[in-house]
Amino acid sequence: MTFGNQVLWLVMFAMVFCYAIENTGLLPIIAKKMLNIKIARKGPWSLALVFMLTACVTGFLTTNALTVIVILWKIFEEMVDELNISHDHPYVSGVLIMIVIAGTAGSIIAPYTGFVVMSFGFYRSMVPIGPEINTLFYFICMLIINIAFYIAFIIVFKFILKINFSFDKIRRYEKNELKLNKRQKITLLYVLILAVAMMVPHLLPQGNILRVVLLEKLGSLGVMIVVTVFMAVTAKDKETFLDMTKGFKKGIPWGLFLMVGTSLTAATALADDSTGVTEAIIQILEPLLSRISLHLLLVILTIISFLLTNILNNNACLAVFAPISIVLVQKASGNPQVIVVLLALSAMLGYLLPASSAMGALMHGHKWLDSKKIYRYGTITMGIIIVVFILVAVPLVSFLFN
């Protein structure tokens, strides 16, 4: 049953939790703190790197990458005007697109975010007796791949495309603009508690009481509910850190939530031998893919999902492609966890077309980005991402999850 699926409930509470984070105004302050560091003043691409790292960090703290992107775009626009850079400069177009990619990729670093939980849900639906995905290894993989993206972007744009300029000054935020209030500090503490509770138990030995309680008794859903409920019952100045009523009303995009439920149900149906759907697709693809190595199969599936998600909606791409990929990898005697982890990233990075994702629509609506710039620099960044998938992502994930 759809609404009895624990993954769906985990998605729901993750969305409510992230609504509480966004509601404190914590994200803009974190963004300004990172942009105030010394390296941001060393040159345009040092500044671009800081923007990407900021998008990654703030994206990590919330499932709503749109919030992160809009905030950082606003800060970047102010800096562009202060530095008297032309709005049509290739550097401006490139960084605006990179912020979108970094915010989106950063938003799935945390193993408790909605899209990641949905990805893991397909694995659990299709491999019900398989081992749990190691969320610490997942976090490490996503962090390294994100950093590889940013380095590769800078190498290509600065040294190959030779997009560059110099600037003399950049705004420095005052201390009063960077100060966290007590409410924001406690909210940040909740985020750290949740991250630790979901990742650290994997480091503990079998039989450890903390590992047993957090992994076996509570599980990801139990940990998420406990932390969320604590936020709802603790208060500062007679105001709780989370209003559950508003969280469920405003923090959950119900259309997406219902789509997740439908997708999980569809994945279970696809995996059921009685439907014959997956088997029919496998029979078509198997002759084409049966003679290649497992490594090449993982590369092909990752790239196809990335290209598809830039044509289809990312959730639709994952719903269609994940069950098929899991079966293909299993038939090749591979660990299905590898392709699930790769798809959690590749299927999320849809941004080239307005219909690819909300981020794609946002880009096409930006006053400084026209379609020509988006397709030119968006296609270049897609090529860079594919290279990183081949050279970094697939080998790294395969090594850690095998």
Side-chain angles (χ1 to χ4, degrees):
M1 292 178 65
T2 298
F3 291 100
N5 192 313
Q6 287 196 10
V7 174
L8 193 61
W9 284 96
L10 180 54
V11 170
M12 176 187 288
F13 277 94
M15 289 174 173
V16 173
F17 177 78
C18 291
Y19 167 81
I21 297 173
E22 294 165 20
N23 227 26
T24 62
L26 180 63
L27 296 182
I29 296 178
I30 291 176
K32 291 175 182 177
K33 278 180 176 288
M34 292 194 69
L35 293 171
N36 231 30
I37 62 178
K38 190 175 181 180
I39 190 175
R41 290 164 171 72
K42 290 191 173 181
W45 290 109
S46 295
L47 177 63
L49 177 61
V50 171
F51 265 101
M52 286 187 281
L53 290 173
T54 304
C56 175
V57 171
T58 50
F60 169 82
L61 295 175
T62 175
T63 55
N64 189 356
L66 283 172
T67 304
V68 170
I69 292 165
V70 170
I71 291 170
L72 290 178
W73 270 359
K74 181 64 178 174
I75 296 171
F76 181 67
E77 288 164 9
E78 291 175 0
M79 291 186 173
V80 166
D81 288 336
E82 286 181 12
L83 297 170
N84 294 316
I85 307 170
S86 170
H87 298 173
D88 293 324
H89 197 287
Y91 171 81
V92 174
S93 302
V95 175
L96 287 172
I97 293 172
M98 290 175 198
I99 288 172
V100 172
I101 298 169
T104 304
S107 71
I108 53 90
I109 290 178
Y112 53 77
T113 52
F115 195 79
V116 178
V117 172
M118 181 179 173
S119 304
F120 289 6
F122 286 117
Y123 167 75
R124 182 48 59 214
S125 295
M126 301 193 68
V127 192
I129 60 173
E132 291 288 338
I133 294 176
N134 188 312
T135 51
L136 179 62
F137 283 178
Y138 170 85
F139 171 80
I140 293 170
C141 285
M142 290 301 132
L143 186 61
I144 293 173
I145 295 168
N146 266 264
I147 293 171
F149 282 156
Y150 313 151
I151 294 172
F153 287 155
I154 292 173
I155 290 173
V156 171
F157 276 76
K158 181 177 181 179
F159 298 105
I160 298 178
L161 299 180
K162 298 187 182 302
I163 297 172
N164 217 339
F165 66 93
S166 60
F167 59 73
D168 299 320
K169 62 178 183 177
I170 190 171
R171 179 184 175 186
R172 185 175 183 83
Y173 291 96
E174 300 298 327
K175 287 185 178 180
N176 63 317
E177 296 179 273
L178 304 176
K179 190 176 181 180
L180 292 174
N181 60 39
K182 192 170 183 179
R183 191 177 191 82
Q184 291 164 338
K185 290 178 181 177
I186 295 175
T187 300
L188 186 58
L189 177 62
Y190 274 118
V191 174
L192 295 174
I193 290 172
L194 178 63
V196 169
M198 296 194 75
M199 290 184 282
V200 170
H202 288 283
L203 294 174
L204 302 176
Q206 293 287 344
N208 181 278
I209 184 66
L210 194 58
R211 180 187 177 99
V212 170
V213 171
L214 294 178
L215 283 184
E216 299 174 20
K217 300 297 183 182
L218 288 176
S220 297
L221 175 59
V223 170
M224 178 62 75
I225 291 175
V226 169
V227 175
T228 304
V229 169
F230 265 98
M231 290 188 77
V233 298
T234 53
K236 173 74 172 64
D237 298 327
K238 298 183 180 180
E239 182 181 356
T240 59
F241 286 88
L242 169 62
D243 184 324
M244 292 290 279
T245 302
K246 290 182 179 178
F248 278 95
K249 184 178 179 180
K250 299 180 180 180
I252 301 175
W254 288 101
L256 174 60
F257 177 77
L258 293 173
M259 183 178 179
V260 171
T262 303
S263 299
L264 292 172
T265 303
T268 304
L270 284 171
D272 196 319
D273 293 337
S274 64
T275 64
V277 176
T278 302
E279 190 60 35
I281 297 174
I282 296 302
Q283 287 177 0
I284 296 171
L285 294 177
E286 198 166 21
L288 303 173
L289 302 175
S290 60
R291 297 183 180 181
I292 64 177
S293 66
L294 174 61
H295 177 79
L296 185 56
L297 174 64
L298 291 169
V299 169
I300 291 172
L301 292 175
T302 303
I303 293 174
I304 290 175
S305 68
F306 175 56
L307 296 176
L308 278 178
T309 201
N310 276 280
I311 300 172
L312 304 172
N313 175 275
N314 49 18
N315 293 293
C317 174
L318 185 66
V320 171
F321 206 67
I324 296 168
S325 299
I326 289 172
V327 173
L328 285 170
V329 170
Q330 285 179 311
K331 282 185 173 290
S333 301
N335 182 356
Q337 291 188 1
V338 176
I339 191 61
V340 169
V341 171
L342 290 168
L343 290 178
L345 177 60
S346 63
M348 184 63 175
L349 294 176
Y351 59 89
L352 190 64
L353 302 176
S356 301
S357 66
M359 276 62 75
L362 191 68
M363 272 205 319
H364 281 267
H366 193 281
K367 57 187 177 183
W368 295 352
L369 289 173
D370 56 34
S371 296
K372 184 178 179 180
K373 292 175 183 174
I374 292 171
Y375 295 139
R376 178 189 299 165
Y377 298 112
T379 303
I380 291 171
T381 55
M382 285 182 68
I384 296 169
I385 288 171
I386 288 173
V387 171
V388 173
F389 280 151
I390 295 171
L391 298 181
V392 180
V394 174
L396 176 64
V397 176
S398 298
F399 173 73
L400 286 180
F401 285 89
N402 274 323

